Amino acid sequence: MDPLDRLAEPGLDLLDRVDTLLASGAPEGHPLWPLLRRMQALPGEAVRAFLDLHPAPLAEAGHAVRALVGAYDEVSRTLADPVAWSGAAASAYDGSRAALLRHLDEGPDSLVGRLESTAGYADALADWVEGSRLALARALAHVLCSAEAVRVRAATAPGAEPRATGLVAAADVAYRVLSVLGVAYDGAETLLRQWSPSLTESVWRAPVGGPAHYDTATRIGR
C-alpha cells in the first residue's frame, strides 16, 4: 500500500463532495475550466480511474519480457554453429542463416532489440505510474488539510445549502487535483512519443540469393 492508497478513502470523500458542488459547472472565469475541457472528468472520477494504475504489474511485465532474451540467445548460438557441408545449397543456407541471425539479435531493429525496448518501455511506464501516484498523493494531502476543504465540507453537510464560497472552494480543490493529473498524462504521452519508434514491428529482410532465389534459379536452369 503506497501513500495514494492510504489517502484514497478520505481523498475520495472530499472529491465526491467537490464533484457534487461542480455538477452544474465551475464559477465563470475560473482556471479550472480548461482542465475540465481537457480531462473530460470531474476530479473524483478522474482520481478513481487513476487509483487502478499500479507500477508493480508493469515492472513484472518488463521482467517477463526481458527473460525471453535468453531463449533468443540460445537459438542464435545454435544458428552460429558451422555446418560441415559445401556447395550451392550450403551457400544459400549460410546466407539465410546470417539473415536470420541479424533478424534475431543484431541491433535495435532485431527481435531481441524489440524485446529489450518493450521491457524498457514497461519499466519506464512503471516509473511514471509510481511518480505520478506519489505526486497525486501529495496533492490530496495538501487539499485535505486546506481551508477550501473545510468550506467544501460545510457546503455539502446534511441540511446545508451550497453557497458561492463552497463552489469556489470546490473549484480550487478540483484545479489542484486535475492539474497534477494533467501533468501525469502529459508524461505518459511524452513516454509514448519517445518509445514508439523502437516499439514498431521488426521486419524480416530475406537475403538476396537465399533458398527461394536458389530454388527458382535451379528450376530455370533446368
Side-chain angles (χ1 to χ4, degrees):
M1 179 177 286
D2 65 5
L4 184 58
D5 287 326
R6 288 191 287 271
L7 289 170
E9 185 175 349
L12 288 175
D13 177 73
L14 174 63
L15 294 179
D16 285 343
R17 295 169 185 268
V18 168
D19 288 0
T20 297
L21 290 171
L22 294 175
S24 57
E28 184 177 354
H30 197 282
L32 173 63
W33 277 109
L35 280 171
L36 287 175
R37 295 188 189 100
R38 180 192 173 191
M39 305 297 288
Q40 296 291 302
L42 291 170
E45 56 184 312
V47 168
R48 274 192 172 83
F50 202 85
L51 282 169
D52 292 333
L53 290 175
H54 293 277
L58 290 164
E60 291 168 4
H63 293 319
V65 170
R66 197 169 279 112
L68 296 174
V69 172
Y72 283 78
D73 287 341
E74 183 64 29
V75 172
S76 296
R77 283 191 293 269
T78 301
L79 286 171
D81 290 339
V83 294
W85 47 295
S86 60
S91 297
Y93 171 76
D94 281 341
S96 296
R97 181 177 62 168
L100 184 54
L101 280 169
R102 288 193 297 271
H103 185 59
L104 284 173
D105 191 5
E106 187 175 293
D109 294 333
S110 67
L111 294 178
V112 168
R114 288 295 187 259
L115 283 175
E116 291 173 342
S117 294
T118 301
Y121 181 51
D123 291 343
L125 284 177
D127 291 341
W128 167 76
V129 171
E130 184 175 7
S132 298
R133 286 178 66 90
L134 181 58
L136 183 55
R138 287 171 177 161
L140 285 179
H142 182 77
V143 297
L144 282 167
C145 300
S146 66
E148 288 83 2
V150 174
R151 298 190 189 101
V152 166
R153 293 189 185 98
T156 55
E161 292 185 6
R163 297 173 298 204
T165 54
L167 183 60
V168 173
D172 290 343
V173 170
Y175 178 78
R176 294 179 187 178
V177 172
L178 290 183
S179 292
V180 172
L181 288 175
V183 171
Y185 288 127
D186 284 341
E189 291 174 358
T190 298
L191 283 178
L192 183 58
R193 286 195 299 271
Q194 290 175 342
W195 285 91
S196 287
S198 59
L199 298 174
T200 57
E201 181 180 357
S202 181
V203 179
W204 164 255
R205 292 177 175 82
V208 176
H213 174 83
Y214 172 75
D215 290 344
T216 300
T218 301
R219 287 196 299 271
I220 293 174
R222 291 174 184 171

